[in-house]
Amino acid sequence: MIAINAYNKKDSSLKLLRANQKVETKERDLVVEKLNTLSQQKLTKRNFVILLVGILLVISLLSFWFRNKYLLNKQQIRELALANTKKALIDTKSQLKNMATRVRQDNNLIIELQKQKISKNTSILLSKLKSKNILTKDGWTQFQSLFKAIHPHFISYIKASNPNLSQAEIRCLCLEKFILTNNEMGLLLGVLTNTIRVTKHRIRKKLNLQSQDDLGKFVQNFRTDK
């Protein structure tokens, strides 16, 4: 009995040991499986982060490329607009310069013809020359358009600072900007030279100027960058 009991105890201890080993093995397997699961989750998370960073990088590069392309196109459009503006300004200056030159040429021709014996044909020619340069309503509108392209604020500032000036006086001041003589202004406006003198006298009186030189300096130095 003693031997049997000892054997049974030994057998029970062995079974208990094996049972404990099985339990420990299962626990170890569970721990390993859990670690593998965590490792897989971390790997998946890392891959997701790498993918997200890659997508963001691609989006950033595309945004940078499109932005540079947009800015380049915008710069080209701005440069083209500036070039067109400069060309238009040069053309406008050329038109006004040609107008002033034509007036001087016509004025010199009229003076030469007037020195000669006036015939019927000469009178007709003088009349044509004068009528060709008269600033009609449409002509004045066209002249203002050209004038404002070069001196965009001159007329508006002159009117604002001197509201008592008439339309004829404003025209005279605009022509004074081109340093035309009284004869040339008269030819361009289709009026007598004396009419120009009277108009300038009224302007000097309204502006408190003493001489033609003062008027010329006033017009040339009149600020339009206020």
Side-chain angles (χ1 to χ4, degrees):
M1 291 296 294
I2 293 173
I4 291 173
N5 289 335
Y7 175 79
N8 288 335
K9 286 182 180 180
K10 188 176 180 181
D11 186 59
S12 297
S13 298
L14 184 59
K15 289 181 178 179
L16 181 60
L17 179 61
R18 289 176 178 173
N20 289 335
Q21 287 177 346
K22 289 181 179 180
V23 171
E24 289 176 357
T25 301
K26 287 183 178 180
E27 290 179 349
R28 186 170 60 252
D29 291 341
L30 290 174
V31 170
V32 171
E33 185 178 356
K34 185 177 181 180
L35 290 175
N36 288 335
T37 302
L38 290 175
S39 178
Q40 187 65 34
Q41 289 177 349
K42 289 182 179 180
L43 182 62
T44 303
K45 186 176 180 180
R46 186 195 66 182
N47 292 339
F48 176 76
V49 170
I50 293 174
L51 178 62
L52 182 61
V53 170
I55 292 174
L56 291 176
L57 181 60
V58 171
I59 292 175
S60 299
L61 291 175
L62 288 175
S63 299
F64 180 77
W65 183 77
F66 280 114
R67 182 174 180 274
N68 280 353
K69 186 176 181 180
Y70 168 75
L71 292 177
L72 181 62
N73 291 338
K74 191 175 181 180
Q75 179 67 21
Q76 290 175 345
I77 292 172
R78 188 185 296 111
E79 290 177 355
L80 181 61
L82 181 61
N84 291 336
T85 301
K86 288 182 178 179
K87 184 177 182 302
L89 183 60
I90 293 173
D91 291 343
T92 301
K93 287 183 177 180
S94 178
Q95 290 183 48
L96 289 175
K97 184 178 179 180
N98 291 338
M99 181 185 293
T101 301
R102 189 180 69 249
V103 170
R104 289 191 176 98
Q105 291 173 347
D106 291 348
N107 182 56
N108 292 335
L109 180 58
I110 288 175
I111 292 174
E112 291 299 321
L113 289 174
Q114 287 176 337
K115 289 179 181 178
Q116 301 174 12
K117 183 177 180 181
I118 299 179
S119 63
K120 182 177 180 181
N121 291 334
T122 303
S123 299
I124 295 174
L125 180 58
L126 287 172
S127 177
K128 287 183 178 180
L129 285 171
K130 289 181 179 180
S131 63
K132 184 174 66 172
N133 293 301
I134 291 176
L135 279 177
T136 60
K137 184 177 180 180
D138 292 337
W140 172 241
T141 301
Q142 182 183 8
F143 176 84
Q144 281 190 100
S145 177
L146 296 173
F147 185 85
K148 287 179 179 179
I150 301 177
H151 308 290
H153 305 298
F154 181 84
I155 296 177
S156 59
Y157 283 174
I158 281 286
K159 288 180 178 180
S161 57
N162 303 279
N164 56 337
L165 291 174
S166 66
Q167 184 72 5
E169 291 163 350
I170 295 293
R171 292 185 185 186
C172 187
L173 289 174
C174 290
L175 295 178
E176 185 71 27
K177 195 75 174 173
F178 297 100
I179 318 178
L180 299 176
T181 65
N182 291 343
N183 288 338
E184 290 165 351
M185 288 186 187
L187 179 64
L188 188 59
L189 295 173
V191 297
L192 297 175
T193 303
N194 189 55
T195 302
I196 300 298
R197 293 195 185 97
V198 173
T199 301
K200 287 187 175 182
H201 176 74
R202 290 201 308 266
I203 294 173
R204 292 199 301 270
K205 189 174 181 181
K206 291 180 180 181
L207 300 179
N208 295 321
L209 301 174
Q210 299 299 321
S211 65
Q212 171 60 32
D213 289 339
D214 292 337
L215 178 61
K217 291 177 181 179
F218 170 82
V219 172
Q220 299 305 322
N221 297 329
F222 185 77
R223 293 184 58 186
T224 57
D225 56 349
K226 303 174 183 178

